[in-house]
Structures are given as structure tokens and as C-alpha cells.
């Protein structure tokens, strides 16, 4: 994570997000509310929760549209 090395010895994919968050946290001290967006970006890079949710929503919408098209045929 914070070492900067990925699984193949190169820079990790989320390292730049970590550096930004760490820099903010060091600057702001105990008021991490100011760094919330940077933390959220870092966690999204690690876990892809928003991306997965959006993909699921798109798939559901496509299913609904196909079902509606088949019902009207």
C-alpha cells in the first residue's frame, strides 16, 4: 500500500491516491474531514465499490429494457 510498490514491482495503481491522501492528512492534522474526498478516491481505487454498483445498475437497466421490448413484441 504505502510502500508504493505494486505486485509486479512497479508503482502500485493506487499509490498516487495514497500520496495525495497522506499529504492532506499530514497537513490537516486531526481534522480529516477536509481530506474525506481524497480518502474516498483512495478507497474507490482499492475496492471499486462505486464502479461495481454502477455496472450492476447498467446491467439491470439493460435487462429491464430487453424485457420491455420483448413484452411489447
Amino acid at each position: 500500500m504505502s510502500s508504493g510498490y505494486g505486485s509486479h514491482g512497479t508503482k502500485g495503481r493506487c499509490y498516487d491516491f495514497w500520496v495525495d491522501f497522506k499529504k492532506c492528512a499530514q497537513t490537516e492534522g486531526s481534522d480529516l474531514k477536509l481530506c474525506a474526498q481524497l480518502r474516498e478516491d483512495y478507497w474507490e481505487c482499492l475496492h471499486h465499490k462505486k464502479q461495481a454498483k454502477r455496472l450492476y445498475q447498467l446491467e439491470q437497466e439493460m435487462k429491464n429494457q430487453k424485457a420491455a421490448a420483448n413484452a411489447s413484441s
Side-chain angles (χ1 to χ4, degrees), residues 2-68:
S2 59
S3 68
Y5 293 105
S7 59
H8 301 289
T10 59
K11 183 169 73 168
R13 65 182 161 86
C14 299
Y15 183 68
D16 292 331
F17 292 106
W18 169 253
V19 169
D20 292 342
F21 173 64
K22 181 179 169 185
K23 197 179 302 181
C24 179
Q26 289 173 339
T27 303
E28 299 304 329
S30 63
D31 192 9
L32 291 180
K33 291 178 186 177
L34 299 173
C35 304
Q37 184 62 47
L38 294 171
R39 181 182 183 275
E40 187 177 322
D41 290 345
Y42 174 62
W43 278 92
E44 176 59 21
C45 180
L46 287 176
H47 303 292
H48 305 290
K49 299 238 183 224
K50 289 181 185 178
Q51 181 182 4
K53 181 180 176 183
R54 180 67 178 141
L55 183 59
Y56 176 77
Q57 290 171 339
L58 289 171
E59 289 173 349
Q60 292 303 310
E61 182 60 28
M62 288 182 69
K63 285 181 186 177
N64 291 341
Q65 288 179 6
K66 285 181 182 179

